[in-house]
Amino acid sequence: MTTAESKSVLDRWEMVVGLEVHVQLKTRTKLFCACSAQFGAAPNANTCPVCLALPGALPVVNKQAVGLATRASLAINCEVQPVSVFARKNYFYPDSPKGYQISQFDKPLALRGWIEIGTRSDSSPIRIGVNRVHMEDDAGKSIHDRFAGVTAVDLNRSGVPLIEIVSEPDIRSAEQAGAYLRVLKQILEYVDVSDVNMEEGSLRVDANVSARRRGDTKLGTKTEVKNMNSFSGVERAIEVEFARHVSVLEAGGVIEQQTMLWDGSTVRPARSKEGSHDYRYFPEPDLPPLILDQGWIDKARHDLPELPAARRARFATDYKLGDYDVEVLTSTPRLADYYEEVARAHGEPKAAANWVMGEVMATIKTSGEDISRFRVRPADLASLLGLVRDGVVSHTAGKQIFSHMVATGDQPAQIAEREGLVKVDDDSQLSAWLDEVIAENPNEAERFRNGEKKLQGVLIGAVMKKSKGRADPRKLNQLLTTRLTS
Amino acid sequence: MAVTIDDVRHIATLARLGLTDARAAAIVAELNTILEHMDELAKVDTAGVEEAIGVGAEGLPVRDDKGPPFPLARSLDAFAPSVRDGFLLVPRLSTHESPEEA
Amino acid sequence: MTARRCAAVRADTAAGHVKAGDTLTAAIDRAREVNAGREGLNVFAWRDDDDARRQASTIADRLADTTPGALLGVPVAVKDNIATLTMPTTCGSRILEGYVSPYEATVVKRLRAAGGIVFGKTNMDEFAMGSSTEHSAYGPTKNPIAPDRVPGGSSGGSAAAVASGIVSIALGSETGGSVRQPAAFCGIVGVKPTYGRVSRFGLVAFASSLDQVGVFGQTVDDAAVGLGAIAGHDEMDSTSADIAVPDYTAGANADVKGLVVGLPKEYFPASLDPKIRAKCDAAIEHLRALGATVKEVSLPNTDLAIPVYYIIAPAEASSNLARFDGVRYGLRLTGDGLRGMYEATRSGGFGPEVTRRILLGTYVLSAGYYDAYYRKAQQVRSLIARDFRRVFDSGVHVLFTPTAPSTAFPIGAISDPYEMYLSDIFTATANLAGVPAMSIPIGRIDGLPVGGQFLASHFDEARMFTAAYALERALGAEARA
């Protein structure tokens, strides 16, 4: 479709999208048993009667999972319900050992939240509603290509706690869908409930897509799109599915309510058998209702870590940083923490921002490491910045020292001494270098003496080079002026 | 509400019970007889009555987020029908077969 | 001949007068004597006498304990739907043939901790679905009092083990009457505790909101000792109550003057067998003579219990039995692909009654029927529970009713499923309301035992036992006449 064609489609048709996001909570143990929830163990090593669904086993709820689920719900402005009820979702699959998932159905943990994903041209916020958040246990993993002719099942993941965040069908474009996911991921990272890593599987997205004629208020038949592996994959899949809806509807057809699978470039229907989606939900008889004290919920809201929006506002006010710097420095909570420690220790937020956004982030990007494990600790970086500010080393030397710090983890002052990078402001040494430069560049020196002030840079630069960046530029300027003023 | 043979085939599929045609036909009669007795309930006035939840239990107990896990006296190999390299084996599904298709 | 009383065995074992091994030998001999094996009464699904001997040999080391375990040296039979480590747990089903659980039920752990010896796994209706123990994949169990008749069900094997004198106590399970009804049919004591009184961890689930482990005893005292040994909070069971366990034997010699006994009129319908009514009347007379106040009460929603039970129990069962799929344990049969494996395994592994109930349960939960059946049944269940609360709040201490509408019927006599379901007519209400209930023998009709049932309010087993102790004492030999 050409841009003109797609534009006119959008004149006639409106995309309506809701997203269901599954998030693995970062607890130590599983939701209903004390098996480790950590990734990476040998197949079926983290299992017990409960998560293997042996006859006679019973679930017991993990307190921390409830806490993290509550925190996540509050962070996206939901109303956490004082009473919620676990329910069985019945279906057969080899990685679902009980033959049912324990989820929540008509009484979920939280309702009626929202996420702000941007602002409109009139500065009003764009909010995507969150219909509900509920808790449930994850399924195991089915691996189809490890052994010929059979599917291999690993139940280590079976029982890991999940929350499912269901948005309202408020999303109107692929771009909005992407924004929703990025904002949601950032919020969940900030409140430290999950690794929210789509590549690793701690965050999964299903999209519900429908189309309706512009001006219609009724919702069209929706289809569910699954199997996307990245946020951009979600955006593309939504666009492709929307286009399919439009072409079917414009040709006078009807959209069949079904599940579609994304394969990276197209959608195809899942081979679902008729009537196989009847989950026969009923309240979980092995678990009494979850009753949360309102005081406990209020305290959880009060104790929420600073959310991204609040942190951004604070960075702008406290550190007087511009939008771009704020955006970059708050992109993850650990980066923001790092920056703040440097800024506070050093006392000059802008300088700290430049160095963190520059040197630090460039290094991290190349090495791929996590900033919370970055070798250059905030206090040490602040020391370095102090040396630069106080003129002990030049800015250029500072960068060299930084490289050494990354490589060795040593202190900046130590490195400066060892590598001979301490700034030279000794008059006799500076004069000596200056004399050499003047001798080597007699024409430039003469022209400068005769009034061509712009050659100052050339002469100073030559001395800096000769001194391997150690010459104190200010002193040097004074000396030059004194030497070459007639 | 009478149960038909199609209903029985449908619920047998949901329950993954393979039923022969003969058995399915017999079940239609059996279920209808049983369900007839259930129709008594429709006459009972239950307006405003809460469904019985958690009879005899008081709120949901929770446990701390720590181990050790509940031990198994014997490993999977001892009781699972088909194990290899620690994995449980089942007849192969195609890669994109979803729970709805299984 | 009967087994030695629990309390007596414990006392003698603790004092060193009797060796656990000898008590065990007596049980083994008795089992042979009554022909408990497959070709005879078919009491046990599994016995491992070597394992029992090993357990017995450890009892000597326990004699130095400051407080001797409540079941020290006592052999106990365990229903085959309760997970044990050293013997299979088959639930009377082909789908778990040969399955040896890699973990043990909490009640079995407590039994052992109390010094009890697990003496065999007893036969049962498949997955506890039945009222006659005719629906086991391992053949029917016969009533030791009259071997052409059923022992009741689903815990028929455990009832037979006690009734035939092999053991003095046995564990069973209750969902709609599966301990009390066999107790009545076999002339012994059977107790269903309050829902949540005893841990369900390791009890293979049939209907999770109704299931409880129950105890059979030769006498009220045996049952009281047995229940005391296994009851109490379990952190592995979220529905288990964190309430202290009193000494249920404390009321053994208490009088019942001023005990208010309610007779719910719905349990004495015009259609009640007059001979059973006569036995009940005689028992009630004894209670009056002992000083109890007897009055008629009403539990108006009683007649709805069977439809309610037969919607809720199969619904929960249909979900609980989904785990039997051939993937991780038990029987696996092959078919066309994964779906074929599921269907072949489940149709090959489950018997007709289980199949019927799974289908019924699936149906009442399915889209379009949930509100009319399952939700409605749960609402009516609330009404049934309310009936009990109202009566107990009005000053009634215990209720007394017949346990079953008939005496033990002949094996094969009842083939209509719904007619079989009606055996639970006086027992299912207690499971639905969660209240404790127990059956004690109150007489015989044409040589067949009749049971009388006491019910009490939640967690008031102590008062229930007190009433039962008193009636048992008053009846004396009449209970077997």
Side-chain angles (χ1 to χ4, degrees):
Chain A
M1 204 188 287
T2 64
T3 317
E5 281 167 353
S6 60
K7 186 176 184 314
S8 82
V9 163
L10 291 173
D11 287 341
R12 293 195 301 283
W13 295 94
E14 181 176 44
M15 177 196 285
V16 176
V17 169
L19 294 177
E20 290 170 11
V21 179
H22 288 85
V23 174
Q24 261 183 9
L25 300 176
K26 50 196 283 192
T27 52
R28 267 190 292 242
T29 62
K30 297 186 179 184
L31 180 53
F32 296 120
C33 67
C35 287
S36 166
Q38 304 319 303
F39 184 79
N44 291 304
N46 293 339
T47 56
C48 76
V50 180
C51 55
L52 282 174
L54 297 186
L58 294 171
V60 183
V61 172
N62 180 335
K63 189 196 308 191
Q64 176 72 343
V66 177
L68 296 182
T70 300
R71 204 192 292 169
S73 304
L74 293 167
I76 58 179
N77 305 292
C78 286
E79 296 164 25
V80 172
Q81 303 298 295
V83 180
S84 61
V85 175
F86 285 98
R88 294 192 184 178
K89 178 180 181 179
N90 297 280
Y91 69 94
F92 283 85
Y93 206 60
D95 63 21
S96 175
K98 298 185 290 296
Y100 55 87
Q101 181 185 31
I102 299 180
S103 177
Q104 295 180 303
F105 184 55
D106 54 8
K107 293 214 169 86
L109 178 71
L111 296 168
R112 292 183 289 271
W114 49 267
I115 293 177
E116 198 173 296
I117 62 168
T119 47
R120 278 175 246 278
S121 46
D122 67 356
S123 296
S124 61
I126 303 174
R127 278 191 185 178
I128 305 297
V130 171
N131 179 278
R132 54 186 276 148
V133 178
H134 68 251
M135 298 179 63
E136 58 189 26
D137 58 345
D138 207 346
K141 274 212 168 93
S142 294
I143 300 150
H144 308 290
D145 47 18
R146 190 189 171 93
F147 305 116
V150 290
T151 288
V153 179
D154 175 10
L155 296 176
N156 283 346
R157 200 182 65 178
S158 153
V160 168
L162 296 178
I163 47 173
E164 182 173 342
I165 300 169
V166 181
S167 82
E168 295 288 1
D170 291 347
I171 293 168
R172 294 284 171 272
S173 69
E175 189 190 36
Q176 282 192 350
Y180 175 86
L181 291 171
R182 287 174 191 101
V183 172
L184 175 60
K185 176 184 152 115
Q186 187 181 53
I187 290 172
L188 295 176
E189 257 180 332
Y190 262 71
V191 295
D192 201 24
V193 299
S194 170
D195 292 336
V196 278
N197 186 319
M198 209 162 167
E199 285 72 45
E200 285 174 6
S202 48
L203 186 152
R204 291 165 234 159
V205 183
D206 297 332
N208 289 312
V209 178
S210 68
R212 64 182 173 198
R213 289 195 182 276
R214 282 229 176 258
D216 267 3
T217 47
K218 207 161 98 72
L219 292 173
T221 306
K222 65 178 178 189
T223 53
E224 192 181 16
V225 189
K226 299 168 100 94
N227 203 43
M228 290 80 75
N229 295 328
S230 63
F231 290 169
S232 56
V234 173
E235 290 173 348
R236 284 200 316 277
I238 285 172
E239 278 172 342
V240 169
E241 181 61 1
F242 172 66
R244 188 185 73 84
H245 278 230
V246 167
S247 74
V248 166
L249 293 169
E250 292 217 305
V254 285
I255 294 294
E256 209 187 308
Q257 181 155 22
Q258 59 186 330
T259 301
M260 308 294 286
L261 300 173
W262 174 248
D263 65 10
S265 55
T266 59
V267 288
R268 69 155 180 91
R271 292 188 316 282
S272 59
K273 302 197 169 73
E274 213 236 293
S276 54
H277 295 258
D278 186 355
Y279 294 118
R280 309 182 296 290
Y281 285 99
F282 68 100
E284 171 56 82
D286 290 331
L287 296 174
L290 175 62
I291 298 173
L292 298 176
D293 180 61
Q294 189 58 50
W296 182 86
I297 297 172
D298 294 339
K299 181 171 189 306
R301 187 182 292 109
H302 182 263
D303 291 348
L304 274 180
E306 190 178 31
L307 295 178
R311 198 149 201 188
R312 283 194 292 271
R314 190 166 61 73
F315 273 25
T317 324
D318 291 0
Y319 304 124
K320 314 261 185 289
L321 297 171
D323 289 348
Y324 176 75
D325 289 4
V326 166
E327 202 65 40
V328 172
L329 291 170
T330 61
S331 58
T332 74
R334 301 291 87 82
L335 177 60
D337 289 342
Y338 186 95
Y339 166 73
E340 283 213 84
E341 272 197 67
V342 175
R344 291 206 184 123
H346 176 53
E348 266 158 56
K350 187 58 187 159
N354 290 339
W355 275 81
V356 173
M357 291 197 305
E359 259 58 41
V360 173
M361 287 186 68
T363 309
I364 298 242
K365 185 157 176 208
T366 317
S367 70
E369 70 194 292
D370 194 74
I371 189 142
S372 49
R373 276 187 287 279
F374 185 49
R375 198 171 205 169
V376 178
R377 300 316 310 142
D380 298 335
L381 181 57
S383 295
L384 175 60
L385 299 194
L387 293 177
V388 171
R389 176 191 47 205
D390 298 343
V392 177
V393 301
S394 70
H395 190 93
T396 319
K399 289 192 183 177
Q400 285 174 262
I401 294 171
F402 181 80
S403 306
H404 283 280
M405 285 168 81
V406 174
T408 64
D410 289 340
Q411 295 296 304
Q414 256 182 300
I415 294 170
E417 282 295 337
R418 197 173 63 215
E419 303 292 326
L421 293 169
V422 180
K423 217 187 284 182
V424 177
D425 64 356
D426 171 58
D427 278 3
S428 49
Q429 171 65 77
L430 289 175
S431 297
W433 281 331
L434 193 54
D435 289 344
E436 283 177 34
V437 164
I438 290 172
E440 288 158 14
N441 300 278
N443 282 336
E444 287 80 359
E446 192 56 38
R447 285 161 64 194
F448 178 76
R449 192 193 307 239
N450 290 336
E452 286 188 48
K453 293 301 167 209
K454 64 180 193 265
L455 290 171
Q456 176 164 2
V458 174
L459 296 169
I460 298 287
V463 175
M464 291 303 286
K465 190 161 166 204
K466 195 175 275 287
S467 73
K468 296 193 194 8
R470 289 179 294 154
D472 181 337
R474 217 173 23 89
K475 268 271 163 105
L476 199 53
N477 272 306
Q478 283 170 2
L479 281 174
L480 179 62
T481 312
T482 313
R483 281 288 256 100
L484 294 181
T485 309
S486 40
Chain B
M1 289 182 230
V3 168
T4 67
I5 187 84
D6 285 334
D7 290 332
V8 169
R9 290 213 183 89
H10 172 64
I11 55 182
T13 303
L14 286 178
R16 298 300 186 267
L17 291 168
L19 288 184
T20 62
D21 286 340
R23 186 87 181 94
I27 295 248
V28 174
E30 287 169 16
L31 289 186
N32 276 320
T33 311
I34 295 169
L35 286 168
E36 241 174 71
H37 292 100
M38 310 313 183
D39 290 340
E40 271 182 70
L41 293 184
K43 302 178 200 144
V44 181
D45 178 13
T46 50
V49 179
E50 277 290 303
E51 293 148 66
I53 294 183
V55 178
E58 306 285 336
L60 180 69
V62 290
R63 64 176 172 85
D64 290 338
D65 184 24
K66 58 183 207 239
F70 196 92
L72 287 168
R74 285 176 279 275
S75 70
L76 213 52
D77 313 60
F79 54 86
S82 181
V83 179
R84 197 163 137 203
D85 294 354
F87 291 96
L88 290 155
L89 301 185
V90 296
R92 193 182 188 287
L93 305 154
S94 77
T95 327
H96 282 145
E97 207 166 321
S98 60
E100 289 80 19
E101 298 165 354
Chain C
M1 217 192 91
T2 57
R4 292 197 69 220
R5 295 261 305 270
C6 216
V9 170
R10 179 233 195 190
D12 283 348
T13 310
H17 300 322
V18 145
K19 286 207 191 58
D22 294 337
T23 312
L24 183 61
T25 301
I28 294 171
D29 288 347
R30 180 64 185 168
R32 187 173 37 245
E33 213 175 311
V34 302
N35 201 6
R38 192 64 196 258
E39 345 63 50
L41 295 177
N42 196 25
V43 173
F44 294 99
W46 192 269
R47 257 175 63 191
D48 183 348
D49 292 347
D50 289 339
D51 177 70
R53 291 227 171 271
R54 269 192 298 275
Q55 296 173 62
S57 68
T58 67
I59 300 300
D61 303 328
R62 309 274 304 266
L63 296 186
D65 292 353
T66 22
T67 317
L71 297 172
L72 194 68
V74 177
V76 182
V78 174
K79 187 177 182 182
D80 204 22
N81 61 354
I82 298 174
T84 48
L85 273 175
T86 55
M87 279 180 271
T89 300
T90 71
C91 302
S93 180
R94 198 181 157 217
I95 217 168
L96 283 177
E97 192 163 11
Y99 168 71
V100 184
S101 175
Y103 80 101
E104 195 148 78
T106 298
V107 292
V108 176
K109 280 207 189 95
R110 290 186 178 172
L111 222 156
R112 293 192 203 273
I117 296 166
V118 177
F119 183 78
K121 303 296 290 294
T122 57
N123 196 25
M124 54 184 282
D125 280 306
E126 189 180 3
F127 285 108
M129 300 185 195
S131 308
S132 63
T133 315
E134 293 174 289
H135 294 298
S136 169
Y138 305 101
T141 295
K142 300 184 176 122
N143 189 323
I145 313 293
D148 60 326
R149 299 197 174 236
V150 301
S154 60
S155 313
S158 281
V162 172
S164 58
I166 300 169
V167 290
S168 60
I169 71 168
L171 297 187
S173 75
E174 270 266 354
T175 307
S178 292
V179 165
R180 289 164 288 155
Q181 184 251 33
F185 280 14
C186 292
I188 57 174
V189 175
V191 180
K192 180 200 91 67
T194 309
Y195 183 83
R197 178 75 285 188
V198 178
S199 169
R200 293 186 296 117
F201 186 71
L203 169 66
V204 180
F206 159 15
S208 316
S209 74
L210 300 164
D211 292 342
Q212 274 291 282
V213 172
V215 181
F216 291 99
Q218 268 177 159
T219 63
V220 172
D221 194 59
D222 293 316
V225 171
L227 182 62
I230 61 172
H233 182 242
D234 182 13
E235 60 184 22
M236 297 303 294
D237 175 358
S238 301
T239 60
S240 102
D242 195 359
I243 295 177
V245 181
D247 176 3
Y248 296 125
T249 65
N253 295 298
D255 71 55
V256 292
K257 287 199 191 59
L259 183 77
V260 181
V261 179
L263 304 178
K265 64 181 199 228
E266 293 81 8
Y267 291 64
F268 297 93
S271 56
L272 179 63
D273 181 331
K275 292 185 181 166
I276 292 184
R277 183 186 294 269
K279 291 295 180 192
C280 288
D281 288 344
I284 291 163
E285 261 322 295
H286 278 291
L287 290 170
R288 279 209 183 90
L290 289 169
T293 306
V294 177
K295 59 191 264 202
E296 189 186 79
V297 297
S298 176
L299 296 168
N301 292 287
T302 299
D303 288 344
L304 298 169
I306 295 297
V308 168
Y309 175 80
Y310 279 98
I311 287 173
I312 295 174
E316 295 182 6
S318 70
S319 179
N320 285 324
L321 268 59
R323 64 190 60 200
F324 301 104
D325 56 10
V327 174
R328 298 165 310 291
Y329 46 79
L331 179 73
R332 177 189 287 203
L333 296 173
T334 52
D336 183 18
L338 179 70
R339 175 80 70 104
M341 182 193 84
Y342 284 148
E343 291 181 351
T345 299
R346 291 163 66 77
S347 64
F350 290 139
E353 183 59 35
V354 169
T355 300
R356 191 179 298 124
R357 295 205 199 185
I358 291 176
L359 289 170
L360 179 57
T362 307
Y363 183 73
V364 302
L365 288 174
S366 65
Y369 299 108
Y370 178 87
D371 285 339
Y373 287 118
Y374 189 79
R375 183 196 295 273
K376 188 75 178 179
Q378 288 285 31
Q379 287 176 305
V380 179
R381 181 179 180 176
S382 290
L383 296 179
I384 290 171
R386 260 193 222 173
D387 285 354
F388 281 99
R389 221 164 17 251
R390 206 178 288 124
V391 164
F392 289 125
D393 284 349
S394 75
V396 171
H397 295 132
V398 297
L399 301 169
F400 183 79
T401 80
T403 305
S406 74
T407 54
F409 44 86
I411 294 174
I414 300 182
S415 52
D416 174 59
Y418 203 80
E419 198 190 329
M420 186 69 84
Y421 298 167
L422 291 173
S423 311
D424 296 334
I425 210 160
F426 299 136
T427 47
T429 46
N431 305 81
L432 291 169
V435 296
M438 65 188 287
S439 179
I440 74 167
I442 59 172
R444 299 215 174 169
I445 295 168
D446 303 327
L448 295 173
V450 178
Q453 174 177 233
F454 284 105
L455 302 101
S457 68
H458 293 113
F459 301 103
D460 203 11
E461 283 86 347
R463 186 130 54 178
M464 184 178 73
F465 273 108
T466 300
Y469 271 119
L471 181 58
E472 179 187 60
R473 207 167 42 245
L475 285 167
E478 220 178 293
R480 276 168 297 291

